[in-house]
Amino acid sequence: MNEWAACAARVALAGSLVGVGQADPTADAALAALGQPNLTTNVSNFPSGAPSASSLALSNAADLAIAPNGRVYISDADNHRVLSWPDAASFSNLDAADRVFGQPDFVSSAPNNGGISAGSLALPQGLWVDETGDLWVCDAFNHRVLRFNNPDSDATPAVADLVIGQFDFTSGLANLTGSKDAPSAASLLFPGRVVTQGADVYVSDSGNSRVLRYRNVSANTPAAQQVFGQFDSFVSRAENNDGMGGFGCCASAGNLRNPIGLAVNGAGDLFIADWNNHRVLRFESAATGDSLADGVIGQADLQSNAPDALSVDGGLHNPIDLAFDARGDLWIADAANHRVLRVAAPRFQPQIWDVYGQGGNFALDDVNRGLGPFFCDASSLFEPTATAFSPNGRLLILDTQNMRALRYAAPRSFAPGDANCDGFVTVADIGRFVAALLDPAAFVAATPRCPISNCDTNADGFVTVSDIGTFVTILTGG
């Protein structure tokens, strides 16, 4: 008996016993909104058009981040500031922020207010809070990334303590020299996102069409150790680099075109939202691997880059932000399709299985799910640019053109072993589980909205024979 036949026989032995695993269904309707008085208003700087502690004026690639203690930060881009609220999981409509970065108060909005300094900002974009509580800010128009030591404990919380991309806190030159065409390992041009993992700092250097990795950043103006998107060259900034440093026509495993969103999973795989190539790239074990992508979401192959890749269902149009949830699913802010997508098993068999912003319809790309730009509701989105999760699993989406940050209930989930997505683990799942083992691609094709990762019962990122024992235990209630 071969290995696969043996695995099928072993699973079948459990067929006379039944175990139960209940799904946790939730709606895609938001519960509350920062920046607006209700879920049907979308006014910039509500209500007067002037900034306040409760208003937002979002644009470009505005971002949100959540600290380990649940504090939420939002880059209020057109007010040239970052606002913070104490609890991502419990805010109410139009709650006032209790902290501001980049401005001297809650009613100011000038870019680089008082001049470029450790306390000023000009069109802040990407945000990240690391495991120690330090806040990282992509200060896009100043071509720098700032680190603020943990604002909960620092004596001067709104004054940055470290800068990447500039020699000091009073400089804001493109690529350090003022020339956008002279990148280096230490320079930046319109950085879009920053994330950390351990001692590694990743920055999407969007204007230079590259992503940089820094190691052990402890002083100003560090030089990056690794570059993605420019064939290992730190002095090239070509969009879709043709392999020789020139601007190319086409996508490849080694190039990028204005990347923005970043996410790193527990295995050290780097995911990049390659914004203008309408795809998400996966780089396995990025810190120790090469600079060539190992997989793609949103395109049929690594050479394609059409928006929506023949259809909205399964394609991407200007994906701008990425985040992982506790389950290991990848969430994509698919901005120009006005939706947020959930991708199961992004490392081994990417499968889009949930959508927010289009009424559950994967084939639609309407502004505010057809309501148009001037009307919104609890289930609509208009160019979302960020997603994040609170410590208790609540989903937040930055609904940028609706000028609001939305809080949802915890996303729906299925029990491990629920191979047919009926909400239970029973003998009815045996055949589907075996199919996932034998032919993952056929499994996904047969039930595209039932994630194959449900069959990854030992949570190692793959569906293999090593999942059999755990599946049998779940099925039999052992």
Side-chain angles (χ1 to χ4, degrees):
M1 184 180 293
N2 66 35
E3 180 182 39
W4 295 114
C7 92
R10 184 180 172 194
V11 171
L13 288 176
S16 61
L17 300 173
V18 177
V20 176
Q22 181 67 49
D24 179 23
T26 59
D28 66 348
L31 304 175
L34 293 175
Q36 301 297 339
N38 52 53
L39 293 165
T40 58
T41 303
N42 58 0
V43 176
S44 180
N45 275 334
F46 178 89
S48 66
S52 70
S54 58
S55 71
L56 293 171
L58 306 172
S59 71
N60 294 277
D63 196 13
L64 62 83
I66 301 174
N69 66 0
R71 175 168 284 276
V72 61
Y73 298 86
I74 295 176
S75 54
D76 188 18
D78 281 358
N79 285 324
H80 307 286
R81 64 184 184 177
V82 171
L83 295 179
S84 181
W85 291 258
D87 190 358
S90 64
F91 63 76
S92 299
N93 294 340
L94 207 64
D95 272 0
D98 62 349
R99 293 178 185 171
V100 61
F101 302 77
Q103 298 293 344
D105 50 51
F106 288 105
V107 296
S108 300
S109 61
N112 286 326
N113 201 327
I116 301 177
S117 71
S120 72
L121 296 169
L123 203 82
Q125 302 287 282
L127 302 176
W128 182 257
V129 183
D130 64 28
E131 58 191 11
T132 68
D134 293 349
L135 171 66
W136 301 74
V137 179
C138 288
D139 189 16
F141 274 15
N142 285 325
H143 311 290
R144 64 184 184 176
V145 172
L146 299 173
R147 190 192 74 199
F148 297 81
N149 291 345
N150 190 334
D152 288 334
S153 56
D154 192 63
T156 54
V159 178
D161 300 279
L162 183 143
V163 61
I164 299 173
Q166 299 295 338
F167 292 119
D168 52 47
F169 291 109
T170 58
S171 301
L173 295 176
N175 280 331
L176 277 175
T177 63
S179 171
K180 69 176 185 178
D181 294 319
S184 70
S187 74
L188 294 172
L189 184 66
F190 304 117
R193 289 291 186 269
V194 56
V195 301
T196 68
Q197 187 186 59
D200 290 315
V201 179
Y202 293 89
V203 175
S204 57
D205 188 15
S206 305
N208 284 322
S209 289
R210 64 184 185 177
V211 170
L212 299 173
R213 181 179 68 85
Y214 306 81
R215 181 77 175 172
N216 293 320
V217 175
S218 59
N220 294 343
T221 333
Q225 276 73 51
Q226 190 175 8
V227 58
F228 302 85
Q230 295 294 341
F231 292 93
D232 299 319
S233 171
F234 287 102
V235 296
S236 173
R237 59 174 301 267
E239 295 180 4
N240 282 342
N241 191 315
D242 60 8
M244 296 177 288
F247 286 73
C249 66
C250 310
S252 74
N255 64 26
L256 298 166
R257 188 180 181 195
N258 310 121
I260 299 178
L262 300 173
V264 184
N265 64 14
D269 299 339
L270 171 66
F271 290 75
I272 299 175
D274 191 11
W275 183 67
N276 254 341
N277 277 326
H278 313 290
R279 62 183 184 172
V280 172
L281 298 177
R282 183 185 81 251
F283 297 79
E284 295 179 5
S285 302
T288 57
D290 59 32
S291 60
L292 298 178
D294 299 288
V296 64
I297 299 170
Q299 300 290 342
D301 52 52
L302 289 163
Q303 290 72 47
S304 302
N305 64 350
D308 288 328
L310 303 181
S311 72
V312 175
D313 191 344
L316 297 171
H317 193 177
N318 294 135
I320 200 167
D321 192 68
L322 306 173
F324 279 105
D325 62 19
R327 172 189 157 103
D329 290 346
L330 181 67
W331 293 72
I332 303 173
D334 189 19
N337 281 328
H338 313 292
R339 64 186 182 179
V340 169
L341 298 173
R342 183 182 190 179
V343 181
R347 193 182 190 204
F348 71 96
Q349 190 72 45
Q351 184 179 2
I352 298 171
W353 70 281
D354 229 348
V355 60
Y356 283 61
Q358 293 294 344
N361 194 326
F362 291 84
L364 295 181
D365 60 355
D366 296 333
V367 172
N368 283 326
R369 65 186 186 90
L371 297 172
F374 304 110
F375 301 94
C376 62
D377 62 17
S379 297
S380 68
L381 296 171
F382 185 8
E383 291 188 14
T385 62
T387 63
F389 290 88
S390 68
N392 66 347
R394 299 297 186 261
L395 169 68
L396 270 68
I397 295 176
L398 196 63
D399 189 14
T400 291
Q401 291 303 316
N402 281 325
M403 305 294 163
R404 62 186 185 173
L406 299 173
R407 173 172 58 82
Y408 300 79
R412 67 190 179 111
S413 62
F414 295 109
D418 183 10
N420 64 0
C421 291
D422 67 353
F424 302 89
V425 181
T426 69
V427 293
D429 292 296
I430 293 174
R432 297 285 298 143
F433 179 80
V434 173
L437 286 169
L438 297 175
D439 192 345
F443 178 102
V444 172
T447 51
R449 305 309 177 204
C450 183
I452 192 173
S453 55
N454 288 0
C455 301
D456 177 20
T457 56
N458 67 356
D460 67 351
F462 301 90
V463 179
T464 67
V465 292
S466 62
D467 292 295
I468 295 172
T470 314
F471 177 73
V472 170
T473 298
I474 295 169
L475 183 66
T476 60

